[in-house]
Amino acid sequence: MRKVGAAGLLALLLAGAALAAPAAPVHWPSVKSAVARDPKIEARIESILKRMSVEEKVGQVVQPDIAFVTPEDVRKYKFGSILAGGNSAPHDDNKAPAVDWLKQADDFWKASQSADWKGEKIPLIYGIDAVHGHANIVGATIFPQNIGLGATRDPELIKRIGEVTAKEMVATGFDWDFSPTLAVVRDDRWGRIYEGFSEDPSIVRSYAGKMVEGLQGHAGTKDFLGAGHVIATAKHFVGDGGTAGGKDQGDNPSSPAQLRDIHGAGYPPAIQAGVQSVMASFSSVRGEKVHGDKELLNGALKQDMHFDGLVVGDWNAHGQVPGCSNTSCAASINAGLDMFMAPDSWKGLYENTLKQVQSGEIPMSRLDDAVRRILRVKLRAHMFDKGAPSTRPFAGQFQLLGSPEHRAVARQAVRESLVLLKNARQLLPLSPKTNVLVAGDGADNIAKQSGGWTITWQGTGLTNADFPHAQSIWGGINEAVTAAGGKAVLSADGSYSAKPDVAIVVFGEDPYAEFVGDRPRSLEFSPADKKDLELLRKLKAAGIPVVSVFLSGRPMWVNPEINASDAFVAAFLPGSEGGGISDVIFRKADGRVNSDFHGKLSYSWPKRADQTPLNVGDKNYDPLFAFGYGLKYGQKGDLPQLSEERPKGGGLPEGVLFGRGAVPQGWSMAFEPASGGQIKGVDRRAQEDSRQLTWSGTGPATMAIRANPPLDLSRETTGQLSLVVDYRVDSPPTAPVTLSGVPITEALRSAPAGAWHTLTVPLGCFEKAGEDMKNLKVPFAISTAGQLKLTISDVRVLSATVAQDQCGAP
Ligand code: BGC
Ligand code: BGC
């Protein structure tokens, strides 16, 4: 451990070495968990452990993902746990019904019980990311993402949400939730900002224990990990919300004291409430990957804070420790990790870990300690007595998923989470007895109002039909207005025949998760086409009062949109209960306020698109709306005209290989050989925003975009993202054409010439075609020996729904 005495500390300070030398270590608080050590459990652990073979012990510390493992494998390797990742589901169907999830849980459980154990049969535990309700499963109650919950400032509500989530999980056979996320997010560019409750440690501190109690039940009572409860996970330990530039899986440069006091604020209360697992972070702290950081995992967490549950890894995150790979990492176990999350890498990892134990590279005492912790959690959770998942209390009660009672809790959460940023001339609350136009692409779009980690990992590829127990924002408005005798009309593009009394425009960010949501360049809300802003301006110009409902996973620079609105509501990502919005923005039929605004910003709102990091307590703190801001009815809500000056520079958004007529700086786009064809600038939406590519047909030629430095798209590839190309065929190919090795001749031949189309190719296809996705020098290459005239306007990497096994026919 990096601990120095007072004298050493003084010497460091005197030497002025605080910046350069290893930062002075600190002690973390000594925490007393409400879950006391139970001598009976401890004795049972020892007796089980004694009868385990070394193979069985290694099996316990490996957690495969259901997309890559079968019950037969579980029987053979006796894994301690399995997980269902964001895109993993029974028979590979993200929309599989609840009954299939439960059956699958039973199949895996039975496999673990029918294995040939040397001693006692150890049941596995099945984990999933129920991070805003059990939202991976069709029909579940979907709560607001944590950013919205942060705005409610309501710890008791957080506990209720935990209880509801746990019950719905148990109904479908799960034991273990990878939640709550206790990130204290300090840079709004981070793609996971919405998973964090706040930029301020005090909010995270006040929620952490409550969510744990809701999920696990009250420590010290019979309720604890009893019927209808699941194991909770405090994640991602530690510093995930403080990486430089908000880069996902990046490096947190905080001093040890900042790490503890800001980023670590949620852990002491979570441990005190009895949280049974902690997930290590993908990120690093001052250059060292947490998955290999003994001082943090063993020192801070286990020694200082007395955490005696299990430390689980993140998705192949051990593979990022220097000297490790996805299939080999003694360093992680030796640093204090107790269970590897090894989704697809479990086989090699199992074999190598076994060898490392046999050679002594992993001391047997460390392996035993890891297994003890896993067994302790399983015994505390009564896993040895619970029987098959389908036989437990609440199991199979699928009517619990999205039950009226559960949805009422979610709807309350929505009401409490909304933050009113502008209310000129007190336009809100609206009378429900008027003619209301409801516009914007978020109005009737439950996926968009729910965000990432919803049915699919990225929350994309969904329609309202995938949400049987949910209401869109339009649905809620229509219900309220119709009941009061008014008239609501849905028109996504905002067109109308009879002029309405008021327009509600629902718009914002499209769903994303993890690194896909990183916005390193700016906080500007800027879909390339600006259609939302145009719509707001058009309505305003027509003399219609405009209410904006903004859906987003983060505070964003929306000054032009705020200027173009009379009232502006930050709704974040509210989830399944769109009705919570109409509850607040409409009066009762008798004219009284129905439900006042309650939410207060849990993240500071920027004044400029490049104003990040921006956090309460900063020197020269100068936000547009400060932390804690949120209007109530009756308060003056007019705003002066806001500056619409965009930041200089800007550049292409992340993931764009070609757009707005350019490739990223330092890259190139050319024919190889140069004589093989010609590139000409042409217009689609703006001047020279596209390129017409003409192959002369004089021999094989490739039009290549070369990245500099090479791109690493390996995570995007496992994450099932796609390359998406907007193209127009001006004259069809005379010979076969490939896109980076993938045949696209048919797509080009069948596309009616002269019209714009979108080609979506899963990144996995390029990997199959032999591309090195980790070191991609040419991310885009169209080749043919024949003639072809093709125009492209946009090339980007996104999550798009296509069958991942369809790589195009020649
Ligand atoms: C995420 C974790 C999540 C895990 C399992 C990882 O990529 O970082 O938050 O629990 O996947 O889905
Ligand atoms: C999984 C997620 C995981 C991510 C990490 C996805 O395929 O479904 O759970 O967090 O990969 O790359």
Side-chain angles (χ1 to χ4, degrees), residues 83 85 129 178 192 235-236 279 282 314-315 341 453 514:
L83 88 144
D129 297 280
F178 304 133
R192 308 190 75 161
K235 77 182 188 187
H236 310 81
M279 187 183 292
F282 258 122
D314 204 342
W315 190 272
M341 188 181 285
W453 299 106
E514 300 192 50

Side-chain angles (χ1 to χ4, degrees), residues 4-65:
V4 285
L9 230 168
L10 191 67
L12 270 177
L13 290 176
L14 286 177
L19 286 176
V26 295
H27 278 287
W28 285 57
S30 163
V31 182
K32 190 168 184 313
S33 167
V35 184
R37 281 286 177 95
D38 177 344
K40 277 207 278 300
I41 288 184
E42 298 303 313
R44 178 107 185 260
I45 293 172
E46 296 311 319
S47 108
I48 299 174
L49 199 61
K50 241 189 286 164
R51 287 175 288 159
M52 287 174 80
S53 67
V54 62
E55 288 80 5
E56 289 176 354
K57 291 178 186 176
V58 172
Q60 287 300 298
V61 305
V62 176
Q63 181 188 53
D65 180 283

Side-chain angles (χ1 to χ4, degrees), residues 465-743:
D466 299 317
F467 297 92
H469 307 137
Q471 189 175 42
S472 71
I473 295 171
W474 147 254
I477 294 173
N478 188 36
E479 205 172 86
V481 170
T482 309
K487 187 169 159 40
V489 175
L490 174 68
S491 159
D493 68 1
S495 56
Y496 53 85
S497 40
K499 186 176 165 187
D501 300 320
V502 62
I504 301 173
V505 184
V506 188
F507 65 99
E509 288 189 297
D510 287 322
Y512 50 76
E514 300 192 50
F515 55 92
V516 180
D518 281 1
R519 297 288 174 266
R521 291 180 177 91
S522 122
L523 292 177
E524 179 178 4
F525 168 67
S526 62
D529 53 16
K530 292 272 174 218
K531 69 175 173 5
D532 304 303
L533 182 58
E534 276 165 28
L535 173 58
L536 300 175
R537 286 181 175 157
K538 206 174 84 193
L539 294 166
K540 204 167 162 74
I544 301 167
V546 178
V547 178
S548 282
V549 176
F550 185 56
L551 299 172
S552 71
R554 46 163 57 96
M556 301 199 89
W557 187 74
V558 277
N559 284 8
E561 288 81 3
I562 294 176
N563 285 336
S565 312
D566 298 285
F568 198 97
V569 178
F572 305 106
L573 298 167
S576 59
E577 302 317 311
I581 289 161
S582 42
D583 287 348
V584 176
I585 64 175
F586 285 99
R587 297 173 186 278
K588 286 190 204 292
D590 67 10
R592 283 179 302 156
V593 169
N594 181 45
S595 182
D596 198 352
F597 276 92
H598 170 103
K600 306 269 173 235
L601 290 179
S602 60
Y603 288 91
S604 308
W605 200 282
K607 196 175 257 181
R608 300 187 320 269
D610 58 357
Q611 196 183 23
T612 179
L614 169 70
N615 294 298
V616 59
D618 286 355
K619 255 190 242 147
N620 310 318
Y621 182 57
D622 182 29
L624 179 62
F625 302 112
F627 174 85
Y629 180 89
L631 295 166
K632 287 199 163 281
Y633 286 141
Q635 287 178 341
K636 194 166 148 49
D638 301 76
L639 291 180
Q641 176 79 10
L642 305 173
S643 163
E644 298 195 1
E645 197 187 324
R646 302 175 60 209
K648 291 170 216 71
L652 291 176
E654 202 67 0
V656 173
L657 309 186
F658 173 76
R660 301 183 200 157
V663 292
Q665 222 181 350
W667 293 26
S668 65
M669 178 173 191
F671 267 94
E672 301 178 0
S675 59
Q678 275 178 3
I679 303 182
K680 191 175 121 196
V682 295
D683 305 347
R684 182 183 179 188
R685 301 186 192 96
Q687 198 179 357
E688 296 216 5
D689 65 346
S690 304
R691 291 288 178 277
Q692 188 179 55
L693 316 171
T694 308
W695 278 258
S696 54
T698 51
T702 298
M703 201 302 294
I705 296 181
R706 286 191 171 266
N708 178 27
L711 289 180
D712 177 0
L713 292 183
S714 52
R715 269 184 58 86
E716 285 79 352
T717 306
T718 24
Q720 307 191 345
L721 301 200
S722 299
L723 186 77
V724 179
V725 188
D726 277 14
Y727 71 99
R728 187 183 71 195
V729 178
D730 299 325
S731 85
T734 59
V737 189
T738 60
L739 168 57
S740 303
V742 177

